[in-house]
Amino acid sequence: MAIPIRKANEIEKLRNANVIVAKTLNYLRENVKAGMTLKEVDALGDKFITDLGARPSFKGLYGFPNAICTSLNEVIIHGIPTDTVLKEGDILGLDIGTELDGWYGDAAITMPIGKISKEDEDLIACAKDSLYHAIDIIHEGMRFKELSKAIEDFIVARGYQPLVRFCGHGIGKKPHDEPEIPNYVENGNVKSGPKIKNGMVFCIEPMICQKKREPIILENNWDVISEDGLRGSHYEHTVAIVNGRAEILSTVD
């Protein structure tokens, strides 16, 4: 399947959807505190997105029951909001999708709940720093496999492992589109596969494990942890390739 090339006006529509994601993440970063439940976090985000005129696109997607993925501590991605109460020292991944006028937005952060350990600060920094490293090095003509290898090398150099079997992805008129963008390379020549071109729009999302990269999906069929059972982290942006470089759409000026 061909990777869609977006026109300038389509990128702006994608930006509009992604700005709402960014505003919602900023709002939750400022307002989520110890003592709240994950369901309360979800409700806050759901209302904020709706009040801005968008639809929370994760709700009902592939059967996901809520507006926001709330991935707590050992849960790296796809955490279902529950009645679990946040406490000081927790780390919480927030992954948010929106749909606005038929176009989709998607981004994620991992945030501290109150004061956290230096180990957890470093874990979160790996996800965030590897994401921005990837965005900085992207250029037209680079192969997606080269990007995946660069993300993997960055994560491993920090002493962590990328979660496997889950990946970044294209985005546009669908929440998930071509191509798939893993944070690692398996059995492949990095000089093979599709190249990055102007007009492509996609999500980069490093998912960080501490010791082992194999995932385990919990009994609710959504929450994903690492085989090592240790805390993980996750960061994500939607980017568009404009004038040969990656431009972040999921941000607020």
Side-chain angles (χ1 to χ4, degrees):
M1 185 183 295
I3 300 168
I5 303 295
R6 306 297 179 189
K7 299 174 183 175
N9 67 316
E10 294 175 326
I11 290 174
E12 288 311 304
K13 290 174 181 177
L14 284 161
R15 189 192 308 276
N16 292 338
N18 275 285
V19 164
I20 291 175
V21 174
K23 287 180 176 179
T24 307
L25 286 170
N26 288 344
Y27 171 73
L28 293 176
R29 185 191 275 117
E30 292 169 2
N31 288 280
V32 170
K33 302 285 189 295
M36 296 175 66
T37 69
L38 296 180
K39 283 183 178 178
E40 288 172 335
V41 174
D42 175 65
L44 268 185
D46 193 342
K47 183 177 187 303
F48 192 86
I49 292 166
T50 304
D51 286 350
L52 289 176
R55 178 180 69 84
S57 60
F58 290 173
K59 188 182 283 188
L61 183 65
Y62 315 127
F64 190 80
N66 296 86
I68 294 171
C69 296
T70 55
S71 301
L72 182 63
N73 295 332
E74 294 80 16
V75 180
I76 302 171
I77 52 170
H78 299 167
I80 289 182
T82 64
D83 291 319
T84 300
V85 177
L86 292 168
K87 61 183 185 299
E88 184 94 2
D90 284 340
I91 61 173
L92 177 64
L94 299 170
D95 192 354
I96 295 177
T98 62
E99 180 265 318
L100 181 68
D101 300 328
W103 297 88
Y104 284 84
D106 192 356
I109 61 171
T110 301
M111 64 172 284
I113 303 301
K115 183 171 177 54
I116 62 172
S117 68
K118 176 64 164 60
E119 290 78 11
D120 286 340
E121 288 179 354
D122 291 344
L123 179 67
I124 293 173
C126 181
K128 184 175 183 179
D129 293 350
S130 59
L131 171 60
Y132 282 96
H133 171 68
I135 292 168
D136 285 345
I137 65 170
I138 287 170
H139 58 272
E140 186 181 17
M142 183 184 204
R143 293 188 190 271
F144 281 100
K145 281 188 179 179
E146 293 178 288
L147 177 60
S148 294
K149 184 67 164 66
I151 296 170
E152 179 178 26
D153 288 349
F154 188 100
I155 293 167
V156 171
R158 286 278 181 100
Y160 300 99
Q161 293 291 325
L163 182 72
V164 300
R165 290 196 267 147
F166 295 89
C167 58
H169 52 88
I171 189 169
K173 296 285 280 185
K174 298 187 289 187
H176 298 110
D177 208 336
E178 295 291 325
E180 292 188 346
I181 309 169
N183 300 303
Y184 59 95
V185 174
E186 273 184 340
N187 308 322
N189 174 7
V190 297
K191 294 298 185 181
S192 66
K195 292 182 178 181
I196 294 170
K197 297 179 181 178
N198 277 321
M200 289 182 175
V201 180
F202 49 87
C203 300
I204 308 169
E205 47 179 319
M207 308 162 204
I208 312 302
C209 308
Q210 293 197 42
K211 297 185 183 301
K212 295 186 178 180
R213 54 174 68 186
E214 285 294 328
I216 294 174
I217 300 174
L218 299 185
E219 289 180 0
N220 64 17
N221 293 321
W222 281 102
D223 292 35
V224 179
I225 67 169
S226 165
E227 192 178 34
D228 60 30
L230 300 173
R231 290 185 174 191
S233 62
H234 177 214
Y235 252 81
E236 176 182 16
H237 269 309
T238 297
V239 302
I241 308 304
V242 179
N243 297 324
R245 308 295 297 187
E247 182 177 319
I248 299 171
L249 301 185
S250 46
T251 189
V252 182
D253 290 335

